[in-house]
Every structure is written in structure tokens, then in C-alpha cells.
Amino acid sequence: MILTVTLNTALDISYRVRSLRPHTSHRVTEVTERPGGKGLNVARVLAALGHEVTVTGFTGGATGRMVQDRLTAVPGLVDALVPVTGPTRRTIAVVDDQSGDTTQLNEPGPTVTPAEWSAFQEAYADLVPSVSAVALCGSLPPGVPVGAYAGLIRTAKAAGVPVLLDTSGEALRRGVAARPDILKPNADELSELTGSHEPLRAAQDARRRGALSVVASLGARGLLALTPEGRWYAVPPALEHGNPTGAGDAAVAGLLTGLLDQLPWPDRLTRAVALAAATVRSPTAGDFDGAAYEKLLAGVSVTAA
């Protein structure tokens, strides 16, 4: 069982328009709604791959109930979300069919009270001993301490459970100091953490700050990994065109399954890159194309960094 933590869950709403233009009205051609937030996206990919996964984090209000109702339709997924008074946020994605670009609007999320944060920590501590890995994903809602992920990492490591951290900003800086087993930033987040715009140098700095392994998303250029076993670049076979929303979360799912299967790092990276590329190819943001994934596995190139 894998546990994914999404402290700032969301209802992801996607609008498709023929062409997005400022200062005009638009006719929406398609609307989709689904549970969102990075950890829930990771969990959905894990479940699609046949893994049992528990999701936790916060949920509140009518939007939170909609998120939980939709989670019941995901086979293999257990809902352990913790209720709060404030409403779960919504994220709005506007997809421009003409250009293929996506414009994202993200609400901040509910304000979490000290009592609600304490209740979550107790629930998390109860869940951790029964799982094989933990993924801590996404932003922190208002009211949650900026060092929240650092504390959650320490709880998991005290129970002997490996932890993957995927966040940004100050939460990332505090979290890396708690020594997560895998740090999964994108290039911009890694640069913000270390001050270096050169990914290899920045990843080395992130390891010095506490991460056991660093796997950085480089967009269309794939992944860069620095681990105790070596360092590699993993690149998809061709530039993928489509919607990149959720591709990084699919890569996290690939890294987690590789960890549980005890694969060598190059094989973990191959799985992660293939899943990310298959997600870009999918017509629905955050899903992955299973047939494309199987084909892509054979085409991913992994070389020493």
C-alpha cells in the first residue's frame, strides 16, 4: 500500500475553448471535473497501474464532497481524507484548442485551523506504519505551518517508511532538510531552492541539503537523477505534443512503483519518463495512454550524467 498526501486537494475543472483571447467572452466546447491536487493525481495513476493506494489530506465543504464522491469510482483507492470547515479549492484550466496552450487558475485552498492540523497529524501517524511508501505532494493550504512536510517526513522515517517529497518554495526548503528519500522538483523549483540555474549543479546542492536522491523534471528533456548509486539523464524517445498537466505526477507514480519493485535506478527512470510522456499524449489532462506507455518504455534513453 502506498500513501499519498495532498494537503491542498482540489476539484480540477477544465474548460476547452477554440481560441483563448483576453477581454472577450468565450463559448466553452467541453467541461470536465475531477479530483485534483498533486497527490490525488499520483494516486489515480498508481491505481490505474494496479497498485493499492490510500489518499489523505484535507477536504471540506460542497467542493470537498464532490471530490470524495468522484474518488469512490477509482478502483483500488482508499479515501482517508480528513475533514475541515473551510471549502476545498477549485482549480480552473482553460485549454486553447488552437494553440494547445493551457491557462491555469488556482485558488488558495481552505484556511486550516490549529485543531484541524493536529487532527491530521494524528491520522497520518496512524496510517504510516501500515504503508510501504509515502508521497508528500503539492502546496500547503493557508494555516498549515510552513515546516509541515519536514515534520511529516520525520514521522515516516521514524517508522522506517521511505518518503518522496514533491513541493515548492519554503515548504521545499524546510522539507529537504528533513532528509527525504527522494526529492522530486522541477527545474524551476530546484533553481529556486539552490540559486543555481544549472540542473546538475543544483541537484548536487539539493543532495547536500539533505535529500538522499534528487530526481528533477526537465520538461521535454526528461529527468535528471542524482542518487547514491549514480547519476543519469532519462529522455523520452521524441518531443511529446499535448497537454503536460499531470505529467510530473505520473513520473512520481513511476518512481514510487520502481521503489517498491526494487528496480535499479535506470529502470525506475525509464518507467517514470514513459508514464510522463504517455500522460502528455492523453486527450484528458492527468490521465495516461496505456498503449502509448507500453511502447514508450522501449524508447526511453538513459545515459550517465
Side-chain angles (χ1 to χ4, degrees), residues 185-273:
N186 61 34
D188 289 340
E189 292 161 351
L190 190 59
S191 175
E192 183 183 2
L193 172 67
T194 65
S196 174
H197 295 282
E198 201 290 305
L200 183 58
R201 183 177 302 163
Q204 291 171 326
D205 189 357
R207 287 200 69 205
R208 285 192 293 269
R209 290 169 183 257
L212 181 64
S213 298
V214 177
V215 181
S217 293
L218 305 180
R221 293 180 293 152
L223 298 176
L224 166 65
L226 269 68
T227 80
E229 289 76 35
R231 57 193 199 184
W232 298 272
Y233 286 107
V235 182
L239 178 63
E240 297 296 329
H241 297 282
N243 189 344
T245 303
D249 303 326
V252 168
L255 294 172
L256 290 169
T257 62
L259 171 68
L260 295 189
D261 292 342
Q262 299 182 328
L263 296 180
W265 267 103
D267 293 340
R268 299 187 201 185
L269 298 172
T270 295
R271 184 178 289 182
V273 167

Side-chain angles (χ1 to χ4, degrees), residues 17-294:
V17 298
R18 296 190 186 282
S19 177
L20 181 63
R21 292 171 296 160
H23 316 301
T24 64
S25 61
H26 297 78
R27 186 177 297 277
V28 176
T29 59
E30 181 184 346
V31 182
T32 59
E33 296 180 345
R34 62 187 309 158
K38 294 179 71 64
L40 294 188
N41 295 338
V42 171
R44 192 163 49 242
V45 175
L46 289 169
L49 292 170
H51 290 267
E52 292 184 346
V53 57
T54 295
V55 297
T56 192
F58 294 115
T59 181
T63 306
R65 288 191 293 274
M66 292 174 69
V67 167
Q68 291 184 284
D69 287 346
R70 285 160 172 76
L71 289 176
T72 61
V74 182
L77 188 149
V78 176
D79 175 1
L81 293 168
V82 175
V84 293
T85 303
T88 294
R89 66 185 177 135
R90 296 161 299 179
T91 66
I92 311 297
V94 183
V95 182
D96 183 325
D97 284 336
Q98 190 172 82
S99 68
D101 292 337
T102 299
T103 299
Q104 193 83 16
L105 304 172
N106 296 330
E107 295 179 356
T111 298
V112 177
T113 68
E116 290 167 342
W117 173 236
S118 294
F120 171 80
Q121 290 176 286
E122 292 177 8
Y124 173 80
D126 289 341
L127 288 167
V128 164
S130 62
V131 303
S132 301
V134 172
L136 306 173
C137 304
S139 61
L140 302 178
V144 172
V146 72
Y149 282 138
L152 299 181
I153 290 168
R154 286 191 286 268
T155 298
K157 292 181 76 69
V161 178
V163 186
L164 182 149
L165 177 63
D166 182 6
T167 188
S168 60
E170 186 65 14
L172 173 60
R173 190 182 72 80
R174 300 283 188 95
V176 71
R179 306 185 64 81
D181 296 271
I182 303 173
L183 189 69
K184 169 54 183 64
N186 61 34
D188 289 340
E189 292 161 351
L190 190 59
S191 175
E192 183 183 2
L193 172 67
T194 65
S196 174
H197 295 282
E198 201 290 305
L200 183 58
R201 183 177 302 163
Q204 291 171 326
D205 189 357
R207 287 200 69 205
R208 285 192 293 269
R209 290 169 183 257
L212 181 64
S213 298
V214 177
V215 181
S217 293
L218 305 180
R221 293 180 293 152
L223 298 176
L224 166 65
L226 269 68
T227 80
E229 289 76 35
R231 57 193 199 184
W232 298 272
Y233 286 107
V235 182
L239 178 63
E240 297 296 329
H241 297 282
N243 189 344
T245 303
D249 303 326
V252 168
L255 294 172
L256 290 169
T257 62
L259 171 68
L260 295 189
D261 292 342
Q262 299 182 328
L263 296 180
W265 267 103
D267 293 340
R268 299 187 201 185
L269 298 172
T270 295
R271 184 178 289 182
V273 167
L275 276 170
T279 300
V280 173
R281 286 191 182 185
S282 173
T284 303
D287 283 341
F288 72 93
D289 184 320
Y293 167 57
E294 295 297 333

